[in-house]
Amino acid sequence: MIREETLNLLEWGKVLERLVSLCATEAGALRAFETPFLVDLAPIRELLKENGQMRSLLIEEKPPVIRDLPVLQSELEEAEAGATLSAGTVVTILKAARTTEGLRKYFREKKGRYPSIAATARTIADLSALKSSLEEKIDYDGEIKDSASPQLRGLRKRVETARSRVGETAKTILANPRYKRHLQDTYVTIRGGRHALPFKPSAKGVIRGILHETSQSGQTIFFEPEELVHANNELKSAESELAGEIQRILRQMSRMIGERGREISASIAAGARIDCIQARSLLAEEMAAAEPVVNNDGSLDIISARNPLLLLGKKRAVPNSVSMSGRSRCMVVTGPNAGGKTVLIKTIGLLTLMTMAGLSIPAAPDSRMCIFPKIFIAMGDMQSVEKDLSTFSADILTMKGFYEEADDRTLILLDEVITGTDPKEGTALGQAYLKALVDRGARVFVTTHFDEIKYLPFEDDRFTVASMGFSERELTPTFQLTMGVPGRSMGIEIAKKMGFPPSIIEKAQQYMGAKEENLDALIKELTRLRDREAETAEKLSRERSRLKELIEKGKQDRARLREMEKKVLDDARSKAMKKVKEAEEEVEKVMAELRRERKVEVVRKAKDVISMIKKEAGHRELPEEIRKIVSRTRPAGKAEDLSPGQRVFVLTLGKEGHVESAGEGKVIVSLGSVRSSVKIRDIRIFAPEGKKGRGRPVAGLMPGEKGREPFTRRDDNTIDVRGLDQEEAIKEVDLFLDRASLADIPSALIIHGHGTGTLKKAIRDYLRQSLYVEEFSPAPKEEGGDGATIARLR
């Protein structure tokens, strides 16, 4: 889509090379290298959104492990076709499965925090079963495990035994006087895959065995004596069986891989995309880049843009802002030689390419970039020796091609074109050409020294002018772009600074004539007014910043006051809850007295104790929601009552949480994203999930009785002790009836189940002697029948 010549002139290859180098895997690097230029807004916006999310991830989280994603398309296709893969290839695929499985789990655990990247991760197949199966058979060094098959361990042992026998046989031969005088040396060597010994030629015809080869000098023959032949045969047989078994296991693993080949390939592709997203984000961080707003309406508003190539080269890059919108179609950039004009238009071209490739750009976050399906660039001397063309002829042919393809989706960058001919004719051609491009709707950025082209914006509102700055005091370029004012070439001033003869300088100034001097003076005045305006704008900016700081300080002060108010309220609530806790401790003492003296009246007095201490806490009731929670929870007696993940209520904080750990009087509670250490006595325990009442009325309190008030099952009047042993169940029912009595609950439902009947009998025996219970009976059929008991309290 984008011409190779355009990419070369803009030096796109340097940006792409850096992107590829930031990838962590082979597959990711290939994907980055093949980065396409997109013209549809939706996919570009999605890529930029991915960049933003990955950058947040890299800053806020431990990044995912991305490695071992090879390019394996041909190997996977071979496995699908039934080929047997090598152990090395199987291990490579196993490592890729490990990486993709890690990425799949990583983003699943993030629970939607990075949705655009997670969408890619969701396309990764669940290869956990394949990974586990392969890991059972092969290790990550490519060695087939003994556990890969029932026969493998035995075959390896057989090979080792046979190899040991070969060594022992060789040692015996070397020590045997019968062979000793025929031996050339005392070492064992391998010839043709078999163990052999170095003998003198005299051994021929004397010793029976197999001759393998003769040394170049003819002084040594490598011979396998008859005794060694049998040992070698046994070793080769064992090795052959072992190799066959290993090959069978490799075929089995290859078949498993082939069956999941397309899923593996798709998963590697998804992993490579995530690797590429990470590389794009790392490049963005390296350039301090941002994700622009994209459009296709031809408008550009690039704020504080810096040249990517200068940033990659660790060179100073002066930020500049460029805007083109409304009727504006062509920007004429003027200024001195070596003043940064070429760098500016290359920056515009490169930032456009980066946006179309889904890369963040080195510019301010609110920059607006336009997508151009066609980008053309012509720079300086276009002379072609091969085509026997002069600079002017090459310019004309190049610009003719641009004109023929130009439309309202075209970006054209022209750097000092139509040179090499008479300046007046060149100027005339330039003016006519630029107007023709604008007529076709193209967006154009052109650098020039021709005065008539500089002044086009003053006669046609489709043109704008800008100039690269130049310090007249130091006679050096500032590389700073200024919109709306044409710049001067500063040729005479620069020549003067470089020591050009004064007489020549004076003559040159005379030749410029009065008209040029007046224009020069006008530009100087415009520049002075522009500088004054910039100074005023800077003052306003400082004042705006100061006002912003004051507003921010006001916000912080308000936030601090709100925090202080919250702290006061929390302290008050904490003190109140402390008093409630003290009240409960008093109640526990009363209940202990009850158990000793068995007097119901003692329990009734506990209500007066609580009321009195609540008044001391501030003469006001606890919030309704907290009173409800307290009524349907019980105190945590000791650390053994608590287990990780258990839902609890922290009295001192007035918040629900989950237990992380408990011990030595302290509990670590997770309160959302916050962890807090609290005392066990400040913890109240919720009933286990699944044991809550359904809150529906039952026909009668006791089966067969009429006229009684209907029993409505709720959280605070129901307890489920199924699954507990007798001792634990009775303890829980005792505490439950204590709370129910204090809360004036008239009736209670105890769910114990049928089971063997032991627990039911123990519960009902306890109820018979309980001072809290006036009477009890099996629950109605709809509440569990004989598997539950309803008790009417005194």
Side-chain angles (χ1 to χ4, degrees):
M1 182 179 64
I2 305 297
R3 289 182 177 183
E4 193 68 28
E5 183 181 24
T6 297
L7 299 179
N8 290 337
L9 287 172
L10 290 175
E11 300 181 80
W12 168 251
K14 292 181 179 179
V15 176
L16 191 62
E17 182 182 353
R18 183 54 181 156
L19 177 65
V20 169
S21 72
L22 290 171
C23 290
T25 68
E26 180 189 6
L30 179 62
R31 185 182 181 93
F33 182 75
E34 295 174 345
T35 296
F37 296 109
L38 306 174
V39 295
D40 292 332
L41 296 182
I44 293 174
R45 287 169 178 160
E46 188 60 30
L47 291 176
L48 296 174
K49 191 185 298 181
E50 290 173 348
N51 295 353
Q53 291 177 12
M54 180 62 82
R55 293 173 74 180
S56 296
L57 184 154
L58 294 174
I59 293 169
E60 299 169 6
E61 312 259 8
K62 183 179 179 181
V65 176
I66 305 177
R67 63 185 179 195
D68 300 322
L69 291 175
V71 178
L72 283 173
Q73 195 59 42
S74 60
E75 289 87 344
L76 290 170
E77 288 173 357
E78 288 172 7
E80 287 184 65
T84 300
L85 303 175
S86 68
T89 302
V90 171
V91 170
T92 301
I93 292 169
L94 174 57
K95 289 179 178 179
R98 177 178 62 182
T99 297
T100 58
E101 185 63 13
L103 287 171
R104 187 179 70 85
K105 289 181 178 178
Y106 179 92
F107 285 100
R108 185 181 63 194
E109 290 168 0
K110 296 305 172 189
K111 298 179 179 177
R113 288 195 62 191
Y114 309 101
S116 295
I117 310 172
T120 298
R122 282 195 296 273
T123 65
I124 297 175
D126 183 353
L127 300 175
S128 55
L130 174 65
K131 173 176 166 289
S132 298
S133 297
L134 294 178
E135 285 175 335
E136 289 174 1
K137 299 179 185 300
I138 192 168
D139 63 27
Y140 282 93
D141 293 323
E143 186 71 24
I144 305 297
K145 294 182 178 180
D146 286 344
S147 58
S149 77
Q151 299 83 13
L152 191 59
R153 187 188 298 274
L155 287 171
R156 279 180 170 155
K157 189 172 182 180
R158 182 182 161 195
V159 168
E160 287 303 315
T161 301
R163 188 173 287 117
S164 178
R165 187 174 293 118
V166 168
E168 290 171 3
T169 303
K171 284 182 183 178
T172 302
I173 293 171
L174 291 172
N176 192 330
R178 178 186 165 204
Y179 295 110
K180 211 164 191 179
R181 62 193 182 89
H182 296 293
L183 285 166
Q184 187 70 275
D185 211 332
T186 58
Y187 63 83
V188 181
T189 185
I190 303 294
R191 289 293 185 272
R194 297 172 69 88
H195 293 74
L197 301 172
F199 281 89
K200 297 174 183 176
S202 61
K204 290 181 182 179
V206 177
I207 302 171
R208 296 179 64 184
I210 300 172
L211 175 65
H212 285 283
E213 60 182 74
T214 304
S215 67
Q216 288 185 349
S217 66
Q219 299 301 307
T220 303
I221 62 172
F222 297 98
F223 194 75
E224 188 179 344
E226 188 174 27
E227 297 93 322
L228 196 55
V229 169
H230 297 299
N232 269 328
N233 286 345
E234 185 179 343
L235 175 60
K236 296 298 288 184
S237 175
E239 287 177 339
S240 177
E241 284 191 48
L242 175 61
E245 180 62 14
I246 288 175
Q247 194 65 15
R248 186 190 69 77
I249 294 167
L250 285 172
R251 277 198 304 274
Q252 184 184 33
M253 290 191 291
S254 299
R255 185 168 60 253
M256 293 162 57
I257 290 168
E259 289 170 356
R260 305 290 300 275
R262 294 187 181 181
E263 291 174 288
I264 295 169
S265 179
S267 298
I268 290 175
R273 178 170 180 177
I274 294 173
D275 183 18
C276 207
I277 295 170
Q278 180 172 276
R280 296 202 309 262
S281 302
L282 291 171
L283 181 63
E285 290 297 310
E286 188 176 309
M287 292 184 175
E291 293 72 52
V293 178
V294 293
N295 68 80
N296 56 12
D297 61 11
S299 62
L300 287 167
D301 189 14
I302 316 175
I303 303 168
S304 298
R306 288 157 294 134
N307 185 273
L309 303 180
L310 293 178
L311 294 174
L312 290 177
K314 309 299 181 186
K315 296 178 181 177
R316 175 173 172 261
V318 176
N320 279 303
S321 298
V322 178
S323 181
M324 182 180 286
S325 59
R327 281 183 52 80
S328 179
R329 293 289 184 275
C330 177
M331 178 179 291
V332 180
V333 184
T334 62
N337 289 318
K341 299 189 300 296
T342 301
V343 171
L344 177 72
I345 65 168
K346 287 182 73 171
T347 300
I348 295 167
L350 272 174
L351 265 54
T352 303
L353 290 178
M354 290 176 71
T355 303
M356 294 168 68
L359 298 177
S360 308
I361 63 171
D366 45 357
S367 296
R368 296 173 66 248
M369 295 296 301
C370 182
I371 305 308
F372 293 101
K374 290 183 280 189
I375 303 175
F376 303 132
I377 180 169
M379 299 181 65
D381 189 353
M382 303 292 287
Q383 184 176 8
S384 174
V385 177
E386 291 180 1
K387 297 180 181 178
D388 193 25
L389 295 174
S390 67
T391 298
F392 177 73
S393 300
D395 278 355
I396 292 299
L397 282 179
T398 298
M399 294 194 302
K400 174 177 175 286
F402 293 176
Y403 171 75
E404 289 171 348
E405 294 195 45
D407 57 25
D408 59 358
R409 301 296 306 280
T410 305
L411 174 65
I412 300 178
L413 308 170
L414 303 173
D415 185 33
E416 302 291 354
V417 292
I418 313 186
T419 57
T421 188
D422 177 75
K424 289 186 177 180
E425 291 187 359
T427 297
L429 272 173
Q431 287 178 292
Y433 179 69
L434 292 174
K435 286 191 175 185
L437 291 178
V438 168
D439 288 342
R440 290 202 161 205
R443 268 60 176 179
V444 184
F445 290 86
V446 57
T447 70
T448 187
H449 288 288
F450 292 156
D451 284 342
E452 285 77 1
I453 293 178
K454 289 181 189 180
Y455 306 136
L456 274 174
F458 299 102
E459 63 179 66
D460 190 332
D461 63 359
R462 295 175 301 170
F463 289 79
T464 58
V465 68
S467 59
M468 301 304 297
F470 190 86
S471 171
E472 294 192 27
R473 182 182 303 168
E474 298 178 6
L475 292 179
T476 56
T478 66
F479 306 108
Q480 192 71 55
L481 182 74
T482 300
M483 301 289 295
V485 179
R488 295 179 295 148
S489 298
M490 305 299 293
I492 293 176
E493 286 82 353
I494 293 172
K496 186 189 297 183
K497 181 188 177 184
M498 297 183 70
F500 219 57
S503 58
I504 298 177
I505 296 294
E506 187 179 346
K507 281 287 184 185
Q509 289 173 332
Q510 292 175 4
Y511 290 149
M512 281 184 65
K515 180 180 178 182
E516 283 75 9
E517 284 185 14
N518 290 337
L519 286 172
D520 196 44
L522 177 59
I523 291 174
K524 279 185 178 181
E525 179 61 18
L526 283 171
T527 303
R528 187 183 67 79
L529 292 173
R530 177 203 66 198
D531 291 343
R532 182 185 294 175
E533 182 185 359
E535 185 179 341
T536 303
E538 186 178 351
K539 286 181 181 177
L540 286 172
S541 178
R542 285 198 299 268
E543 287 299 315
R544 192 179 293 113
S545 298
R546 194 170 71 84
L547 181 59
K548 188 177 179 182
E549 288 175 6
L550 289 172
I551 293 171
E552 187 62 32
K553 185 176 182 299
K555 288 180 181 178
Q556 291 172 359
D557 289 342
R558 284 197 298 275
R560 197 158 43 246
L561 286 172
R562 283 196 297 269
E563 186 64 30
M564 289 172 63
E565 181 184 15
K566 181 178 180 298
K567 187 176 184 304
V568 169
L569 291 174
D570 287 346
D571 287 346
R573 180 191 293 176
S574 178
K575 289 176 182 177
M577 296 310 298
K578 184 178 179 183
K579 290 294 183 182
V580 171
K581 186 64 180 178
E582 290 172 358
E584 288 184 336
E585 290 172 355
E586 290 294 325
V587 171
E588 287 295 329
K589 291 177 183 177
V590 173
M591 287 193 292
E593 184 182 347
L594 166 66
R595 294 188 186 99
R596 289 194 304 272
E597 301 183 13
R598 307 179 66 81
K599 294 179 181 178
V600 176
E601 291 77 9
V602 179
V603 178
R604 300 301 184 201
K605 292 177 182 179
K607 295 179 183 177
D608 298 332
V609 175
I610 294 175
S611 298
M612 179 186 70
I613 299 179
K614 282 182 178 178
K615 288 178 181 178
E616 291 179 5
H619 301 284
R620 58 183 179 183
E621 291 289 329
L622 289 171
E624 178 65 21
E625 64 273 14
I626 293 181
R627 284 195 285 115
K628 285 182 179 179
I629 291 173
V630 171
S631 71
R632 58 188 175 91
T633 57
R634 64 178 177 84
K638 50 185 180 293
E640 289 74 13
D641 292 342
L642 301 168
S643 59
Q646 189 171 6
R647 182 170 166 238
V648 295
F649 183 75
V650 183
L651 283 170
T652 51
L653 301 176
K655 292 183 179 179
E656 292 184 24
H658 291 84
V659 174
E660 288 198 1
S661 62
E664 299 183 3
K666 291 283 187 179
V667 186
I668 303 298
V669 181
S670 172
L671 305 162
S673 60
V674 178
R675 295 167 71 249
S676 181
S677 174
V678 297
K679 296 177 181 177
I680 288 181
R681 61 186 175 83
D682 295 328
I683 294 294
R684 297 188 68 86
I685 302 174
F686 286 94
E689 294 295 331
K691 297 186 179 181
K692 295 181 179 179
R694 291 163 293 183
R696 58 184 180 83
V698 181
L701 176 59
M702 299 295 169
E705 294 190 35
K706 297 182 179 179
R708 291 280 177 88
E709 182 183 345
F711 172 75
T712 301
R713 182 174 172 180
R714 303 188 307 273
D715 290 344
D716 61 350
N717 66 6
T718 305
I719 184 171
D720 188 341
V721 295
R722 288 176 293 182
L724 302 180
D725 61 29
Q726 293 181 40
E727 186 178 346
E728 289 176 337
I730 290 171
K731 180 182 176 182
E732 288 295 324
V733 170
D734 189 45
L735 289 170
F736 167 69
L737 293 178
D738 283 343
R739 292 195 299 272
S741 177
L742 287 171
D744 280 335
I745 294 173
S747 309
L749 177 68
I750 303 161
I751 304 171
H752 41 65
H754 295 285
T756 62
T758 305
L759 181 60
K760 172 172 64 177
K761 182 177 182 305
I763 293 293
R764 289 178 178 174
D765 287 346
Y766 162 77
L767 294 176
R768 283 190 185 93
Q769 54 84 39
S770 174
L771 293 177
Y772 297 115
V773 178
E774 183 173 332
E775 59 180 325
F776 66 89
S777 67
K781 184 177 180 180
E782 61 269 26
E783 285 299 329
D786 202 33
T789 299
I790 289 184
R792 185 155 63 87
L793 306 185
R794 296 179 187 276

